[in-house]
Amino acid sequence: MSGGTSRGGRGGGGGGGAARVRGAAAPLARLPEVRLPELQPYDGGGLEPEGDGDGLAYTEADLTGEDGRGASFLDCRFDRCVLDGARLGRARFADCVLDGVRGVGTDLAEASLRDVEVRDARFGGLQVHGASLERVLVRGGKIDYLNARKAVLKDVTFEGCVLVEADFAGARLERVVFRDCVLRRAEFSGVRMKDVDLREVAELDIAGGIERLSGAVISPAQLLDLAPAFAAAIGIRVEAARAA
């Protein structure tokens, strides 16, 4: 397993390599356009599998352990909710805002998120493996142990957040931007990338899959920092010349 750490992702110049070096601009990820109508307050009745949670404002709701698998959430707002152990696999979120939510072991496996804003969230062990995320903005907050294996991320922006041991193995990333983020021990084994922008990552630490960065854009400074890991990935030994 190859790895590398890069700090201070900004830089200028051009070139090439396993990942494109900063030069021509990568296409920007399209941001969600969430315009919520007047919402009805959530009555606290709990979630239901395959249920309808559309048009509701969930404010400081404790959804610990609730079962909303396959449920629909259209035009919803979640403010400061607790999602510990919430089962939301295969649920559908569209035109939603999640602000200040927190959860440990929240299950969103195979869920669909489209036009969703996630602000200042704190998650531990978040499960989004096999999920589909399109036009999603994750701004601020911290996610520990994100499981995004085999997920599809299209037009997703991570901005000003901390991701610790995020696992993107086998995922497909298209027009994904990491801006002013911290990526610690990120796993990219088997990932497929297209127009993924890593240039403004404040701390880039790759645990595995560095050879899968084809389709990403990095800065010249990041290229220098990651050079030993790139060399190791293709079997190059780097040693000082022997003195005469």
Side-chain angles (χ1 to χ4, degrees), residues 156-191:
V156 176
T157 299
F158 295 92
E159 183 175 283
C161 56
V162 177
L163 302 176
V164 178
E165 296 196 32
D167 188 350
F168 295 101
R172 180 161 61 89
L173 280 61
E174 181 175 351
R175 291 194 301 275
V176 177
V177 176
F178 296 87
R179 182 178 298 120
D180 296 324
C181 292
V182 170
L183 273 174
R184 293 191 187 127
R185 310 302 295 161
E187 178 61 61
F188 291 123
S189 297
V191 75

Side-chain angles (χ1 to χ4, degrees), residues 56-242:
L56 296 179
Y58 299 79
T59 303
E60 298 184 344
D62 187 350
L63 302 175
T64 298
E66 291 283 347
D67 189 352
R69 287 175 287 187
S72 171
F73 300 95
L74 171 64
D75 292 328
C76 290
R77 186 177 183 94
F78 296 79
D79 282 314
R80 303 179 301 282
C81 295
V82 179
L83 300 172
D84 290 348
R87 290 167 286 174
L88 295 163
R90 301 187 307 281
R92 299 175 299 280
F93 293 80
D95 296 293
C96 291
V97 174
L98 288 73
D99 196 343
V101 299
R102 64 186 189 276
V104 175
T106 307
D107 184 4
L108 286 162
E110 299 181 8
S112 172
L113 285 74
R114 185 183 178 96
D115 288 308
V116 172
E117 295 184 15
V118 183
R119 306 171 183 164
D120 297 318
R122 295 189 68 88
F123 285 108
L126 178 62
Q127 303 294 316
V128 294
H129 53 87
S132 173
L133 286 71
E134 184 171 358
R135 292 195 300 273
V136 173
L137 171 64
V138 181
R139 174 174 287 158
K142 183 180 182 184
I143 305 176
D144 293 315
Y145 309 111
L146 170 68
N147 180 356
R149 284 175 168 258
K150 297 185 178 180
V152 176
L153 285 71
K154 185 175 182 179
D155 291 308
V156 176
T157 299
F158 295 92
E159 183 175 283
C161 56
V162 177
L163 302 176
V164 178
E165 296 196 32
D167 188 350
F168 295 101
R172 180 161 61 89
L173 280 61
E174 181 175 351
R175 291 194 301 275
V176 177
V177 176
F178 296 87
R179 182 178 298 120
D180 296 324
C181 292
V182 170
L183 273 174
R184 293 191 187 127
R185 310 302 295 161
E187 178 61 61
F188 291 123
S189 297
V191 75
R192 289 174 293 167
M193 293 186 179
K194 181 179 180 182
D195 297 323
V196 174
D197 197 340
L198 297 166
R199 293 173 295 181
E200 296 185 33
V201 174
E203 180 182 334
L204 179 58
D205 180 9
I206 298 175
I210 196 166
E211 71 282 358
R212 303 293 298 191
L213 292 187
S214 177
V217 185
I218 62 175
S219 72
Q222 289 170 329
L223 178 61
L224 291 175
D225 289 338
L226 296 173
F230 279 128
I234 60 176
I236 296 176
R237 293 170 55 193
V238 180
E239 298 178 356
R242 295 181 180 178

